[in-house]
Amino acid sequence: MKIFVLSLLDSTERRKNVSSLLNEYQLDFEFLDGIDGRKKDPILLAQYDEQAFIYNYGRKAAMGELGCYASHMLAWQKCVELNEPIIVFEDDFRLKQGVHQAFDECKEVINDFHFIRLEDGNIKPQYQVKVQNGMTVFNYLKVPQCATCYAISPVAARKLLVKSNKIAFPVDVFIRNVWVHQQPIFSLEPFFVTTGTDVSIIGDRKRNQKKSLFTRLMCIGYKIRNITFNLGTQALFFVQNKYQARR
């Protein structure tokens, strides 16, 4: 699978570190120039649904968050354009020995599962769906945040793009809200990619923004909706996976 690294064109130090690391592991890749939301591009701002973002996430978006979302959309569009699965990295990560096996196994199963997280993260409820060559595919019942590294097929890319005409979440929170896009999120373990330690360039993401009583109540309502709909969708995915496993 082709590897694409999302990175701002002027992030020279990050690009230097990425190139050094991927070359060290002899992994071919291409940079995909990201979108800098801090420049407040009017087309990007037109996609931003501020009210829905506040209700979903309890605060306004940082401009860097909008750029991050739009950058991942470029990767999904690239996947659809190529009509083949790809691996997507953000430009702050670390690798471990064994990453080649993980990517090779991912290539074998990506067209069965369509979206596979390849990064380590917080432990979340999940269940096993497949074991192959010492690696295990899990389906998340609660998807972790972050989108540092994942494999995606054109099937999943189209689903995410269709539901991204308006930006109402940070991109990783959008991905974890499976009820919105109806794409199950899987992982392939053990993990050989971890998130890096560079300072985020997204910007201030504090949640202490002042909100009216009405807005606070709407945030609670949206949170209950998202939790309920995610639980229902995950239950449906669970039944589908168990049915397919028995065929």
Side-chain angles (χ1 to χ4, degrees):
M1 286 187 291
K2 291 184 173 69
I3 296 174
F4 292 92
V5 180
L6 300 174
S7 181
L8 298 181
L9 189 59
D10 59 1
S11 293
T12 53
E13 191 63 28
R14 283 178 176 241
R15 289 192 170 208
K16 178 182 176 181
N17 292 337
V18 165
S19 297
S20 176
L21 183 57
L22 291 177
N23 288 335
E24 177 186 342
Y25 280 83
Q26 298 182 331
L27 291 167
D28 294 330
F29 72 98
E30 296 179 39
F31 282 115
L32 196 57
D33 294 341
I35 295 175
D36 191 344
R38 297 169 297 182
K39 296 181 179 179
K40 299 183 179 181
D41 179 86
I43 296 176
L44 178 59
L45 291 175
Q47 290 181 272
Y48 172 41
D49 187 336
E50 183 170 274
Q51 185 179 73
F53 197 103
I54 293 172
Y55 291 166
N56 277 311
Y57 207 57
R59 62 164 174 78
K60 297 179 182 179
M63 290 298 100
E65 269 176 322
L66 301 183
C68 181
Y69 197 125
S71 298
H72 280 273
M73 288 178 65
L74 291 179
W76 305 339
Q77 289 165 355
K78 175 65 73 171
C79 180
V80 172
E81 175 188 319
L82 294 172
N83 196 32
E84 63 185 53
I86 63 172
I87 292 174
V88 181
F89 278 96
E90 293 181 340
D91 64 356
D92 183 21
F93 60 90
R94 302 292 181 269
L95 300 178
K96 301 177 184 178
Q97 292 296 333
V99 69
H100 292 91
Q101 180 195 355
F103 288 0
D104 288 344
E105 295 302 326
C106 187
K107 182 178 180 180
E108 296 298 317
V109 299
I110 185 61
N111 286 316
D112 295 326
F113 301 109
H114 303 294
F115 191 109
I116 300 177
R117 283 174 57 96
L118 297 168
E119 65 174 298
D120 200 355
N122 295 330
I123 297 174
K124 296 293 184 181
Q126 59 186 9
Y127 57 92
Q128 178 181 302
V129 294
K130 186 171 185 176
V131 178
Q132 180 170 300
N133 297 328
M135 310 243 359
T136 305
V137 178
F138 291 94
N139 191 182
Y140 285 108
L141 292 172
K142 185 177 181 181
V143 181
Q145 290 183 225
C146 293
T148 303
C149 182
Y150 57 87
I152 188 169
S153 78
V155 170
R158 290 188 185 95
K159 287 183 179 180
L160 299 186
L161 286 168
V162 164
K163 295 299 181 179
S164 295
N165 57 319
K166 291 292 184 181
I167 298 177
F169 301 90
V171 66
D172 57 338
V173 180
F174 165 69
I175 291 170
R176 74 189 304 215
N177 274 275
V178 293
W179 76 268
V180 177
H181 50 71
Q182 296 294 308
Q183 172 57 51
I185 305 301
F186 298 88
S187 68
L188 182 63
E189 303 179 24
F191 295 114
F192 297 95
V193 181
T194 60
T195 303
T197 57
D198 290 349
V199 176
S200 173
I201 59 176
I202 284 178
D204 184 15
R205 290 177 284 181
K206 294 180 180 178
R207 293 197 187 209
N208 58 356
Q209 299 169 3
K210 291 184 178 180
K211 297 185 287 290
S212 67
L213 176 60
F214 175 78
T215 299
R216 290 178 183 275
L217 291 174
M218 289 299 293
C219 289
I220 293 170
Y222 269 58
K223 185 173 183 178
I224 292 171
R225 179 202 65 175
N226 291 340
I227 290 173
T228 302
F229 285 11
N230 277 324
L231 285 172
T233 304
Q234 293 288 19
L236 178 61
F237 292 159
F238 178 82
V239 172
Q240 291 173 340
N241 283 324
K242 292 301 180 183
Y243 173 74
Q244 290 173 357
R246 292 174 181 172
R247 293 179 63 182

